[in-house]
Amino acid sequence: ARKMNHFICSSLVAIILIIISFYNGHMTFYSNYSQMLWRYIVVTMKRYFWRWPPRPMSLLSGPAFMLSGVLGFRAFLSPPDDESTTE
């Protein structure tokens, strides 16, 4: 349970970093869903990969997602806790 709590906490921090670094740069009306997804991909590539100098929040989100992935593997591969109480 403790490993799962660490995983959930790190995932929330990583998601918050992504939201803050991406906030309000792509807000507009789209005629259909596929156009919106394509624009999201284009804006994501421009904001995270094709920008120099790199933005600090996008640099922080990479290690945050890697840590979250490592903690997720540890949480899902660990044996379950024995929470039975004997009295």
Side-chain angles (χ1 to χ4, degrees), residues 25-86:
H26 65 286
M27 299 284 207
T28 187
F29 177 75
Y30 299 102
S31 61
N32 60 26
Y33 188 68
S34 62
Q35 183 185 13
M36 181 193 70
L37 289 177
W38 179 251
R39 181 68 183 148
Y40 176 75
I41 292 169
V42 168
V43 170
T44 302
M45 294 302 258
K46 284 182 181 178
R47 285 186 176 243
Y48 291 110
F49 301 110
W50 292 327
R51 184 165 298 220
W52 192 257
R55 297 170 51 193
M57 291 302 286
S58 62
L59 291 176
L60 289 175
S61 62
F65 273 108
M66 286 190 284
L67 175 66
S68 184
V70 168
L71 292 175
F73 277 115
R74 285 184 185 169
F76 288 119
L77 296 178
S78 67
D81 295 335
D82 187 22
E83 297 181 4
S84 63
T85 58
T86 55

